[in-house]
Each structure stands twice: as structure tokens, then as C-alpha cells.
Amino acid sequence: MTVQSNQESAADVERLNSRSGELASRLGIVVTEASAKRIVATMPVEGNRQPYGLLHGGASVVLAETIGSALAVLATGFVKTAVGVEINATHHRSAKAGLVTGTATVLAITKSMASIAIVVEDEEGKPVCTSRLSCLLRDRPPVLLPEQ
């Protein structure tokens, strides 16, 4: 097993944040730590609340799927693409303000499937949501260049 350097980790964080997609950007998801075994990201509660002033459960699931899929791709060395095929979530408590932090860890990875565990915690370290994501791993399509 190879040990990832801090420089590689910083490059992975930058790469993941620059390619997080429109929804993750709108929700304010920011990757803060990345390795082939674990990704950590934050998301603000403000702007992601349901009508009762609590963090929307769907926002927690978006955070979970975003970092879980990213971890599946990173664990393959960016060789594969991850397509979520199943996600479950258990909501434990509400969050009303501040940031929540999601931590994704690898449960199992094969040539074609990745299983990832995600825990979303409030600023006190209390679990808000736990989730499990299964991703199909597919070969990355070739990069298409614009027609000349």
C-alpha cells in the first residue's frame, strides 16, 4: 500500500472541489480532506434548511452521495467513474445552524462496485445522519475534443 503525501492530498482536494458539480456548489459543499480511504467535506446549514428551520434531510443525502461517489473515484486513482446505484440514510438529529461535516470511508471496493459509509455530524461532533452508498464503477469514457 502506498502512503499519500500531503502534496498529493492537497491536489486531490483541489481537483475534487473544482469538479464537484452544480448541486454540490449550490449547497456549499467543500472537500477539506481527501485520500484513497477517506474524504471529509463541510456544508453550511444556512441555505439548506427545510421550512421548519432545520437542515433538510435531502441536503444531508446530497452531501453523502457527493463525497461517497468522489471517494469511489479517488480510490480507483481517477481511473474509473462512479455511478450511484443505491443510497440509504438514517437521520438522527437536526441541525439548525453552522456547518455539518461529512466523512466518507471505504467499506469495500471491487473492480466493478464500491461500498462507502458516510457519517454527517454537527459542529459538536454529534451524528446528524448516517448513510451507505453503493456505486457501480465504470471505465472512464475517452475525453472528447471539440470538432475542428
Side-chain angles (χ1 to χ4, degrees):
M1 179 168 78
T2 62
V3 175
Q4 191 172 29
S5 73
N6 286 341
Q7 188 174 18
E8 288 171 327
S9 179
D12 289 338
V13 166
E14 184 178 330
R15 185 175 187 181
L16 292 171
N17 281 322
S18 69
R19 298 179 184 186
S20 63
E22 296 170 345
L23 183 57
S25 180
R26 282 193 182 118
L27 269 58
I29 296 171
V30 176
V31 174
T32 60
E33 178 185 324
S35 73
K37 298 264 185 211
R38 174 178 132 125
I39 288 181
V40 178
T42 61
M43 181 179 71
V45 173
E46 184 176 347
N48 295 314
R49 295 184 194 127
Q50 38 90 312
Y52 301 108
L54 307 173
L55 177 65
H56 195 292
S60 294
V61 175
V62 171
L63 173 59
E65 185 154 1
T66 298
I67 64 175
S69 295
L71 180 55
V73 171
L74 181 55
T76 71
F78 295 99
V79 173
K80 299 274 188 172
T81 269
V83 179
V85 294
E86 187 219 357
I87 188 164
N88 67 37
T90 301
H91 303 287
H92 306 289
R93 66 178 35 86
S94 61
K96 295 181 180 179
L99 291 175
V100 291
T101 300
T103 303
T105 54
V106 173
L107 293 172
I109 292 195
T110 67
K111 288 185 344 182
S112 62
M113 187 67 92
S115 294
I116 310 293
I118 306 99
V119 177
V120 178
E121 298 175 323
D122 64 15
E123 290 184 325
E124 296 175 3
K126 294 179 180 174
V128 171
C129 176
T130 54
S131 187
R132 185 183 45 78
L133 173 68
S134 298
C135 292
L136 178 65
L137 299 176
R138 303 183 67 170
D139 291 332
R140 285 182 104 43
V143 176
L144 300 176
L145 299 175
E147 291 186 25
Q148 307 232 359

